[in-house]
Amino acid sequence: MLKQNVMKKRKSRDVLASSTPENIVLNIFFILLTIVFLYPVLVVFGVSFTSSSALTEYGYAMIPKEFSLEAYKLAVQSGDIVRAYINTIGATVIGTFLGVSIMLLYAYPLSRKNFKHRKFYSFYAYFTTIFGGGMVPWYIICTQLLHINNTFWALFLPSLVSVWNIIVLRTFITTNIPDELLEAARIDGCGEFRIFVSMVIPLSKAGTATIALFTALAFWNDYYLPMMLITDPKYYNLQYYLQLIFLNIEALTKNTNLSAANAQAMKIPAETTRFAMCVLTMGPILFVYPFFQKYFVKGLTIGSVKG
């Protein structure tokens, strides 16, 4: 036994020694890859805190040559950015919760082979990815039938469900929750709703968290819905609000008719404001993402193994 243990330790050491060069190469590669991805983000942060004169003279840099908050002051003073943040956070939280709940409720029956209408509802969902009614019927339904234009519901209700997310959730549930486990629960007297709440949801945390992240990012970065359905400024979300600020700055800087407007335009930090908008937009998501990271890779890989 002692000799066998000694031999095993020697073999493990040999494996580690042989893999050390490869590990060093992989570590260096991923460090360089991380720097490549982080550098543009750091440049965006640096430019957003740079004065317009320093940006014109020295160009883009990760460390500001001349520190300035004029871009953020312009973005904040241009209107009610706090309300836009509240609308965006509310739409993201409520929309993600409702969307993931609906998609889970749709994906779970499709994952069960004993569901009689499984093929019909699978084809029904897939059919919508091939053919669509177009923008005009969609707009008429939202405004004339649902009457959600110029309401808070317009920020998330038309985009609650994604067929691709349903397919990922269905595959994840099929792969990770065997039929035998659900049959055992039925024998013990559990109904379908009890099985769904007590077993399917807890065992689908990785897939659900992945889809929740995708859905939250879609709602947070959306500007199409407010552009199409909202004209009341009190319902603007952050993306559309910042886009309007930038369009107003561009219109003012291109105005060559009035000398007063030109003088004012020369003082507007148009370029640095654009980068400040990027920071204001991506800041909260950067803090939320680490909480989903441990589920992200597992949920995405397992949910995409089978079609």
Side-chain angles (χ1 to χ4, degrees), residues 106 120-133 163 167:
Y106 199 104
F120 170 78
Y121 285 104
S122 296
F123 177 76
Y124 179 79
Y126 176 70
F127 184 82
T128 61
T129 64
I130 304 174
F131 301 99
V163 175
I167 294 174

Side-chain angles (χ1 to χ4, degrees), residues 42-73:
L42 296 177
V43 169
V44 170
F45 274 93
V47 173
S48 67
F49 290 102
T50 304
S51 64
S52 298
S53 57
L55 183 64
T56 304
E57 184 176 355
Y58 301 104
Y60 300 104
M62 188 170 61
I63 301 176
K65 299 291 183 180
E66 183 179 336
F67 186 81
S68 175
L69 294 174
E70 57 183 4
Y72 290 96
K73 290 180 180 178

Side-chain angles (χ1 to χ4, degrees), residues 16 44 68 169 173 190 206 265:
L16 290 175
V44 170
S68 175
L169 283 173
I173 296 173
C190 293

